[in-house]
Structures are given as structure tokens and as C-alpha cells.
């Protein structure tokens, strides 16, 4: 999963800081996931996979409509 996290982060062109901000975790946590100290959560992988896609906007609109 570490490799998947690294590749997804590269595909988004997000820095560690920007990735942390997007995922709602600390920059150190992003580095821990990149270094293999912690396994990335599935939701983090999904969020990175959806970054910048039209589906992300649809999902956000749907979530906002629930509140």
C-alpha cells in the first residue's frame, strides 16, 4: 500500500504539506505513510485517487446536500 500511496500522491502533484492539508492529517503523517511506518487508510487512497476528478465535485456536492 505504501507504493500505491506514493504513486497516487505523485499523480496529484501535491507536496507533502498540500497532501496533508487535503487529507486532513499532519505532514509528518504523510511522510510516515510514504516511508512505510504507517499503512495508509483506504479512505486516504480513495481520496487521492479522486483528487481533481469530476467525481470528487459530485461527491462533495452530495455530502453537502446531506447536511
Amino acid at each position: 500500500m505504501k507504493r500505491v500511496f506514493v504513486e497516487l500522491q505523485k499523480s496529484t502533484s501535491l507536496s507533502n504539506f498540500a497532501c496533508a492539508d487535503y487529507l486532513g492529517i499532519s505532514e509528518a503523517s504523510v511522510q510516515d505513510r510514504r516511508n512505510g511506518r504507517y499503512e495508509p487508510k483506504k479512505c486516504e487512497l480513495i481520496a487521492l485517487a479522486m483528487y481533481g476528478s469530476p467525481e470528487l465535485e459530485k461527491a462533495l456536492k452530495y455530502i453537502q446536500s446531506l447536511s
Side-chain angles (χ1 to χ4, degrees):
M1 288 298 195
K2 168 194 156 192
R3 197 175 100 223
V4 174
F5 184 87
V6 171
E7 290 303 317
L8 284 171
Q9 185 185 0
K10 282 182 188 177
S11 73
T12 63
S13 301
L14 291 173
S15 67
N16 284 350
F17 178 79
C19 183
D21 186 52
Y22 175 69
L23 294 176
I25 59 178
S26 69
E27 187 175 359
S29 295
V30 170
Q31 292 170 351
D32 286 344
R33 284 153 176 77
R34 290 180 60 88
N35 295 331
R37 282 187 217 121
Y38 291 102
E39 191 78 9
K41 296 177 183 176
K42 289 179 184 178
C43 62
E44 294 167 346
L45 297 175
I46 293 167
L48 285 175
M50 291 183 67
Y51 181 81
S53 72
E55 279 66 33
L56 175 63
E57 292 302 318
K58 290 178 189 175
L60 290 174
K61 285 180 184 177
Y62 175 71
I63 291 168
Q64 289 172 344
S65 74
L66 296 175
S67 37

